[in-house]
Amino acid sequence: LAALGNATIILVLLLSSWATALAIVGGRRGSQRLVGAAELLVHSLAAITSVAMLVLIYGMLVSDYSMSYVHSHSERAMPMFYRVTAVWAGMEGSMLTWVWSLALVSSLAVAANRERLRVMLPQVIALLMSVVMFFGVLMLLHSNPFLPFLGATPMTGKGLNPLLQNPYMVTHPPTLYLGFVGLTVPFAFGFAALLTKQTDDAWIRAARPWALWAWYFLSLGLVLGMLWAYEELGWGGYWGWDPVENAALMPWLVATGFLHSIIVQERRQMFRGWSVVLALLAFVATIVGTFMTRSGFIDSVHAFARSSIGYVFLVYIALLLLAGTVLIVANWRLLKADNEIDGLLSRESVVLVNNWLLLAMTLLVLVLTILPNLSELFLGEKINISVKEFRRWVTPLGLLLLLFTAVGPLLAFRRTRTESLRRQLLWPALIGLVVAGGAGAIGGRDPQALLAWFLATLLCAAVVQELGRAALLRMRGGEVGFIGGLIDQIADNRRRYGGYIVHVGVALMCAGFAGDAFKHKQDVLLTPGQRVKVGDYELRYDGIRVTRDPQKTMVTASLTAYHDKKPVAVMQPARWFFATRPNEPTSEVSIRRSMREDLFIALGRYSEGGKHAGFMVVLNPLVNLVWIGFLVMTLGTLIAGIPVRKRKPRRASAEAKP
Amino acid sequence: MTRPLKLLGIGVPLMLAIGTVAYEFVKGAPHLVTLAVAASAAACLGLSVVFLLRSMLLLSGDDSASGSSVGRRRRAVEADISALARTLEGIELDQGIGRVSSSEAAELAAPLRDRVAILEREAELLRGLELEGVDGEIEAEVRERVAARAEGDS
């Protein structure tokens, strides 16, 4: 198996370099034949990386410990699900997963755009394949998952890190990889547009679905990571500004800017430079994120081990930025806008401000993340950045972004009359004030949280108002009622209203984030039968029991939660001790969810037989709005992103024809 | 793509997958998931070989391996027209709800309509070629004809 796996990696390198060479020569000579051959090699590469992936999965399934990677990350007693997903649990396997998803996405992108982007196809192929080549070389020389186990083949494996044996953690990496590799496509299209001087809107129309889905998968990956942190790490929160979380947040922020920028380019033939720069930066951000996760340069709860691979990534990032800058400067005249911003109160202005804010936030997150390492490197002293510091700097920018997200859709392209904006803002702002005022009246005293709730409500109300106006317009046309009109308008304008629904999701998530300001955390030490009051809850500790399965020993505590003196839940926080890693117990928290707040309990230290047990009890207000907001975001993305039937422009043909 | 090539594209992966399943059974009773993974790996290997072979054929001068067609190009152009149509409808909606005046809407839509007109001519030409059964490398010719017409119009 190891030999077959190694052969596939060498084939990946050969095919990607061959495809790159054919595409470059074909592009220069204008030979459709050479480009066509390169295109077929892209598909061949996708198939061969699938073989590599499946060989590794097969090795995991049959517990082939002659492969070092299989031995280090799996063991026979593990459930089959975790044995398969252990493929991306380590550095080497995750690198293969990355190359595999990149090869598949490249194949799909080339197949879907071979006619649409015929002129720039050679450059697109060359760029995509060069990225595959880069990761292929890294995999072969540094992170090869098919290296044989040195010495006699062991009978048992080391098993998977217990923290990773969680459904959220199993799905979190592949979704992030899909987001990361998805952003390679807009980068390749944007760069190819510059190389071929085809900087009109064709490449952004082709890149949009890739950017949208990549953005969505990044969002999904981030949320799955948050859920994992919340339920598995047992510290009572879901976002700790961990460097690896930040590594995925940065490309998300830039991709958000890209998605908005291309709307303006399509409508107003402006922001051509912005679109190209953001496509490049989104891709660079994914490489920066990979560097942060894999170099060991930063300390994180789920970064891979320290390695020399970081320098290679740094050189690659520098080369990308250099090549990008040269190309953009060389094509500056082509990137100039056909139009200019006509008024400050316009959609274009808001998108421009948003772009700057998103870039500023990305840079801020990057600087704060690497500051401890930079300070250690240059000052000889490590300056640690706390979660509080992160919040202090990032929250104001986040609130500004939320403000512009709320106001942006109310503005027209070109210019908006102040009176029109005032009229549109009146009701949403009043509703926002009522909600924020109400929250303040019942005890909410954090000004930033109140402002976040005001803006989130304003945004949601503005979207509802927009949908209402659109439905009424359709209703006036006759034949349909309000609901019918609403459905028709959403169906006919999926991109717009899908986007607005995504905005609502973001607003709900922000409202949930703001709830964190009112989080209540309490450590308690209890004896069986003892009761303790935490917020509106009363908890009674009932005891501890120990159970075993083939993989682990489970110590489970039992507590009864009372609300208004009535028992409402039996809480069972636990600690699991895996046989292969007895010194790394996992915390299995118990959560009682409600719209208002979560009651979260983690088991801490306990005495033999459970005569004393320590618990961390956390009340997390509005945390479920974060998850609900994400579901709304998913709905919006589905509406905006699912391909719709082809249509002809109304009146356009008749008017435009000579 | 010719019929033998299409058959090869399906046949090789299928044969390899079947062969692998048989081999797994000869080795001993395998788990269903293990069997599926092994068969998929073999099929992917076959697929990779087929694509490689087609690439070689194309390089050696056999154009039938390229799979390029006028129909595909026409569909791509129509997809572009469709995307522009949606943007134009967005402008109409803005006008409908009073966010932009009719003159502003016309101004915003003008460059998009021009682009649609060019693309519609290209699609029309491609439809004609498709009906005539013309296939192969017509990209340059179509582009030249569209460009010449666009120049004439302006």
Side-chain angles (χ1 to χ4, degrees):
Chain A
L1 275 184
L4 180 59
N6 279 311
T8 56
I9 293 186
I10 291 167
L11 275 174
V12 165
L13 273 181
L14 284 176
L15 289 173
S16 56
S17 45
W18 194 5
T20 310
L22 281 179
I24 291 171
V25 176
R28 287 182 78 89
R29 289 191 193 162
S31 163
Q32 290 291 325
R33 184 166 292 163
L34 291 181
V35 178
E39 192 190 322
L40 290 166
L41 288 179
V42 173
H43 304 318
S44 179
L45 175 83
I48 208 73
T49 49
S50 304
V51 176
M53 194 70 185
L54 289 162
V55 165
L56 192 56
I57 293 175
Y58 185 84
M60 292 285 184
L61 285 172
V62 299
S63 300
D64 183 349
Y65 298 135
S66 67
M67 283 194 276
S68 177
Y69 185 79
V70 176
H71 169 256
S72 305
H73 296 89
S74 114
E75 50 130 350
R76 282 192 183 85
M78 271 163 54
M80 183 178 274
F81 179 63
Y82 289 125
R83 263 191 286 158
V84 171
T85 54
V87 163
W88 50 79
M91 164 96 102
E92 296 84 355
S94 73
M95 191 69 94
L96 175 61
T97 313
W98 183 298
V99 172
W100 175 59
S101 32
L102 181 57
L104 285 187
V105 163
S106 300
S107 170
L108 287 172
V110 167
N113 294 287
R114 63 196 301 244
E115 304 296 340
R116 204 175 198 179
L117 301 177
R118 188 44 107 183
V119 180
M120 56 177 92
L121 193 66
Q123 287 74 14
V124 169
I125 293 176
L127 285 161
L128 289 171
M129 289 300 98
S130 63
V131 181
V132 174
M133 222 163 35
F134 170 72
F135 281 103
V137 170
L138 278 187
M139 190 163 61
L140 186 70
L141 301 180
H142 188 276
S143 305
N144 185 347
F146 297 109
L147 287 179
F149 186 86
L150 296 175
T153 304
M155 295 305 288
T156 55
K158 286 184 183 168
L160 186 63
N161 182 345
L163 281 176
L164 303 182
Q165 297 191 35
N166 174 292
Y168 294 128
M169 205 49 191
V170 161
T171 41
H172 162 74
T175 46
L176 277 188
Y177 295 155
L178 277 176
F180 284 169
V181 302
L183 289 178
T184 315
V185 178
F187 154 75
F189 288 1
F191 248 49
L194 286 180
L195 286 166
T196 53
K197 308 207 179 297
Q198 306 277 318
T199 50
D200 60 8
D201 307 345
W203 81 269
I204 56 161
R205 274 196 292 278
R208 184 189 163 271
W210 299 94
L212 179 68
W213 286 107
W215 175 88
Y216 175 73
F217 279 113
L218 278 179
S219 316
L220 177 61
L222 283 166
V223 170
L224 288 170
M226 284 154 80
L227 281 163
W228 171 75
Y230 190 48
E231 295 190 5
E232 191 67 33
L233 294 185
W235 57 280
Y238 48 84
W239 187 267
W241 294 102
D242 180 272
V244 174
E245 291 169 340
N246 299 346
L249 178 67
M250 288 187 296
W252 185 89
L253 290 169
V254 186
T256 306
F258 176 75
L259 282 168
H260 288 86
S261 194
I262 59 175
I263 297 173
V264 177
Q265 182 175 344
E266 201 173 30
R267 272 285 183 97
R268 295 273 287 138
Q269 296 77 48
M270 296 166 71
F271 291 7
R272 289 199 179 106
W274 268 109
S275 300
V276 172
V277 168
L278 290 172
L280 166 70
L281 288 182
F283 176 64
V284 170
T286 66
I287 305 293
V288 171
T290 315
F291 159 73
M292 283 163 65
T293 325
R294 280 154 211 281
S295 63
F297 178 67
I298 47 159
D299 299 323
S300 159
V301 67
H302 43 190
F304 295 108
R306 187 171 283 272
S307 74
S308 55
I309 204 171
Y311 297 105
V312 185
F313 276 111
L314 282 180
V315 171
Y316 189 55
I317 292 165
L319 282 175
L320 278 172
L321 288 174
L322 183 70
T325 311
V326 168
L327 262 180
I328 288 165
V329 170
N331 288 287
W332 193 246
R333 280 175 57 195
L334 283 173
L335 295 173
K336 276 174 81 177
D338 289 357
N339 298 298
E340 286 179 355
I341 291 181
D342 291 331
L344 267 181
L345 277 185
S346 66
R347 186 78 65 91
E348 300 91 303
S349 310
V350 168
V351 172
L352 183 67
V353 175
N354 253 12
N355 282 352
W356 280 115
L357 280 174
L358 286 162
L359 282 187
M361 206 173 195
T362 310
L363 195 65
L364 186 65
V365 172
L366 176 67
V367 169
L368 292 177
T369 307
I370 60 174
L371 197 62
N373 303 79
L374 290 183
S375 60
E376 194 177 21
L377 201 66
F378 294 111
L379 305 174
E381 186 189 356
K382 197 167 187 170
I383 301 172
N384 281 315
I385 304 293
S386 64
V387 171
K388 211 172 156 188
E389 284 295 314
F390 263 102
R391 282 186 186 160
R392 206 178 96 193
W393 289 96
V394 176
T395 308
L397 281 179
L399 288 170
L400 268 176
L401 270 171
L402 193 57
L403 169 70
F404 287 111
T405 312
V407 175
L410 303 178
L411 297 173
F413 282 94
R414 296 200 62 190
R415 67 183 76 85
T416 306
R417 289 181 300 277
T418 320
E419 171 56 26
S420 157
L421 181 63
R422 196 187 63 77
R423 210 176 47 241
Q424 291 184 83
L425 272 176
L426 183 65
W427 280 107
L430 280 176
I431 297 168
L433 279 175
V434 168
V435 170
I442 58 169
R445 288 286 180 270
D446 185 288
Q448 284 185 334
L450 291 178
L451 184 57
W453 286 332
F454 165 71
L455 291 172
T457 314
L458 184 146
L459 190 157
C460 294
V463 169
V464 170
Q465 181 181 265
E466 275 294 294
L467 288 169
R469 287 173 74 186
L472 285 173
L473 179 73
R474 188 59 66 98
M475 224 172 102
R476 270 187 234 124
E479 292 173 22
V480 285
F482 184 82
I483 299 293
L486 183 66
I487 292 169
D488 279 2
Q489 286 287 30
I490 291 176
D492 284 351
N493 299 277
R494 287 192 189 199
R495 276 169 60 174
R496 172 184 298 209
Y497 293 117
Y500 288 178
I501 291 169
V502 169
H503 283 185
V504 171
V506 171
L508 290 174
M509 289 179 87
C510 289
F513 296 149
D516 202 57
F518 306 98
K519 187 159 118 178
H520 174 78
K521 196 169 175 180
Q522 195 172 326
D523 288 316
V524 294
L525 183 66
L526 301 171
T527 52
Q530 191 181 349
R531 291 178 179 233
V532 66
K533 186 125 173 77
V534 181
D536 292 342
Y537 288 96
E538 194 175 28
L539 299 171
R540 188 189 70 205
Y541 170 50
D542 299 326
I544 268 182
R545 70 175 192 282
V546 181
T547 49
R548 287 181 184 82
D549 72 12
Q551 222 192 342
K552 57 191 178 289
T553 302
M554 295 162 279
V555 179
T556 311
S558 185
L559 299 103
T560 308
Y562 294 86
H563 195 267
D564 289 337
K565 300 201 170 154
K566 287 179 202 147
V568 286
V570 174
M571 310 292 287
Q572 297 190 313
R575 283 173 85 81
W576 290 356
F577 297 81
F578 285 76
T580 48
R581 300 179 193 233
N583 298 323
E584 298 172 33
T586 62
S587 179
E588 305 299 317
V589 303
S590 181
I591 302 172
R592 179 181 187 265
R593 296 181 191 279
S594 72
M595 273 313 294
R596 192 178 153 215
E597 65 188 3
D598 271 9
L599 169 64
F600 174 107
I601 304 181
L603 173 61
R605 302 176 77 170
Y606 53 89
S607 63
E608 199 69 37
K611 284 178 186 158
H612 290 92
F615 299 94
M616 184 180 71
V617 186
V618 183
L619 295 177
N620 262 326
L622 301 180
V623 65
N624 288 306
L625 277 183
V626 176
W627 324 126
I628 292 169
F630 176 72
L631 290 178
V632 175
M633 246 167 86
T634 303
L635 175 71
T637 310
L638 283 173
I639 291 173
I642 284 188
V644 286
R645 68 183 190 284
K646 284 181 187 154
R647 61 177 76 186
K648 290 202 157 206
R650 288 196 288 261
R651 302 193 304 272
S653 353
E655 278 176 24
K657 272 184 187 169
Chain B
M1 203 167 35
T2 57
R3 199 180 170 83
L5 269 179
K6 273 185 188 164
L7 282 174
L8 202 68
I10 300 165
V12 171
L14 198 66
M15 291 300 287
L16 278 172
I18 293 169
T20 309
V21 169
Y23 173 72
E24 286 284 328
F25 268 108
V26 170
K27 261 191 354 182
H31 191 280
L32 194 65
V33 177
T34 316
L35 201 64
V37 169
S40 307
C44 285
L45 187 64
L47 209 59
S48 179
V49 170
V50 170
F51 277 121
L52 194 63
L53 191 72
R54 278 178 60 191
S55 174
M56 299 289 199
L57 282 173
L58 195 59
L59 284 175
S60 67
D62 183 354
D63 284 340
S64 65
S66 80
S68 179
S69 77
V70 181
R72 280 212 189 94
R73 174 71 199 148
R74 196 241 321 140
R75 283 193 289 278
V77 173
E78 283 174 355
D80 259 358
I81 295 173
S82 179
L84 284 163
R86 279 194 287 275
T87 310
L88 283 166
E89 282 177 18
I91 296 174
E92 282 172 22
L93 178 64
D94 275 341
Q95 190 190 339
I97 57 176
R99 185 158 292 149
V100 292
S101 66
S102 54
S103 62
E104 281 170 337
E107 219 171 297
L108 283 168
L112 300 174
R113 291 202 192 286
D114 290 346
R115 178 85 188 122
V116 168
I118 293 170
L119 287 173
E120 283 196 331
R121 272 177 226 139
E122 192 174 344
E124 212 173 289
L125 274 170
L126 289 164
R127 261 192 296 274
L129 291 171
E130 216 177 341
L131 285 174
E132 288 165 27
V134 179
D135 212 335
E137 292 185 14
I138 44 91
E139 180 75 17
E141 191 193 334
V142 171
R143 284 199 171 274
E144 265 173 38
R145 286 162 73 175
V146 171
R149 271 208 201 179
E151 221 168 81
D153 292 345
S154 62

